[in-house]
Amino acid sequence: MSELVDLKKICNISSGGTPSRKKNSFYGGSIKWAKISDLERAGDGFIYDTDEKITSDGLDNIRNRIFEPDTLFLAMYGSVGKTAITKDKMSCNQAILGITAKDDKKLNLKYLRYWLDSIKEKLLNSAKGVALKNLSAGMVKELKIPLPPIANQKRIAEILDNATTLRDKTKQLIEEYDQLAQSIFLEMFGDPVINDKKFNLNSLLNFGSFKNGLNFSSNETGFEIKTLGVGDFKTRYIINDLQNLSTIHLTKLPAEDYLLKNGDLIFVRSNGNKKLVGRCLALYPNNEKVTFSGFCIRYRLKDKNLTAVFLTFLFRNARFKQMMLQSGRGANIQNINQKILSDLKIIIPPIKLQNQFADKIALIEQQKELAKQELKESEDLFQALLQKAFKGELV
């Protein structure tokens, strides 16, 4: 086991800052300025660019807090413990710590990043705050890192890089399957907003019925039942495996109308994350009792001229969703309701075409399931190597 060293002894650690939003002259410049969202988008672990840029006056306003390339950024708020390495000179806001090695012959930056990944759970458990979990620069400085010889650090980083590459390739494959599914939708049905295929238009209300979800109290006891909540949507369009759904307790079982049936569509009605609003998936509970939360709307098809698969992909279409979420004044709405969904005029392709689409999607899903299993195996391998690395068992 390597000696444990205080991070503050071997690293320079400081946070960024936010120029005053009251001064327009501080923003719109050429200096890259990172926020937590930039870290979250760093798919390969590196930040090349940022959404927002600040001016030299803006940088002066935050006392010239700027970092050189190859600085490790660590999220203190929001996505606590999220890390990424800068590939260019950039500043950042106060929610991010910039960390550099005082001597790169003693500490490898990638080794440091992987070590921080390995203790992320510890960071989350030690995070302070009620409404928003957060870290502080002081807490990070007091962390103790195992410090083997630099050659060993580089070897550990190399092994973990290889495991990460394997995992990321599988993730990319899954993303490509999703893109293929969307391409097939556009090829078969065209743009659902301009209706370039000239399909009939109609309202969802003429093909089924809506119902808002169940509101319940967290202190209820008695009956146990699975429930579908906003957190279950993620990127999925279908759920037929219920084992990961949450379980709630109710004083009495909900009315039959609150129980989901095979092929029911569920929409996210309201959520703090605007990107989730309007998201749609189909559920197949078979004989198991499953209800749905009050933040959701259920749509139950009653007409065989529409299929659940077609509808879920329709509502996943970026242009269609943007159109749905536009209010009369052109501003994005904060939530949806039954009236908004009912007022939509959607394309109604021939049922034969919808069924052909569902068959193609089923084949893609089969391949996706295989890729997901590979992803789980590569993720398990990465986590096992990560734990071994900092116990001195990897090299």
Side-chain angles (χ1 to χ4, degrees), residues 161-179:
D161 274 347
N162 291 335
T164 299
T165 299
L166 176 64
R167 182 188 62 183
D168 290 347
K169 281 183 178 178
T170 312
K171 283 183 180 178
Q172 183 179 352
L173 179 61
I174 293 172
E175 290 173 3
E176 288 172 358
Y177 281 133
D178 288 334
Q179 291 167 7

Side-chain angles (χ1 to χ4, degrees), residues 14-19 31-36 38-39 47 50 52 54 59 62 65-67 71-74 76 86 89-99:
S14 59
S15 63
T18 298
I31 300 169
K32 296 175 181 178
W33 181 69
K35 299 174 293 188
I36 297 293
D38 294 302
L39 267 70
I47 299 183
T50 60
E52 284 195 90
I54 59 175
L59 188 61
I62 56 173
R65 296 181 187 181
I66 195 162
F67 300 92
T71 295
L72 181 68
F73 276 177
L74 170 68
M76 293 191 290
T86 63
K89 192 172 185 177
M90 64 183 68
S91 185
C92 65
N93 68 14
Q94 68 275 12
I96 297 171
L97 279 181
I99 306 174

Side-chain angles (χ1 to χ4, degrees), residues 90 110 129 138 159 213 235 253 267 274 280 290 304 320 366:
M90 64 183 68
K110 279 191 175 181
I159 292 171
T235 59
L253 284 174
F267 295 88
K274 295 178 186 177
C280 168
V290 181
K304 293 183 179 179
F320 183 82
Q366 288 177 11

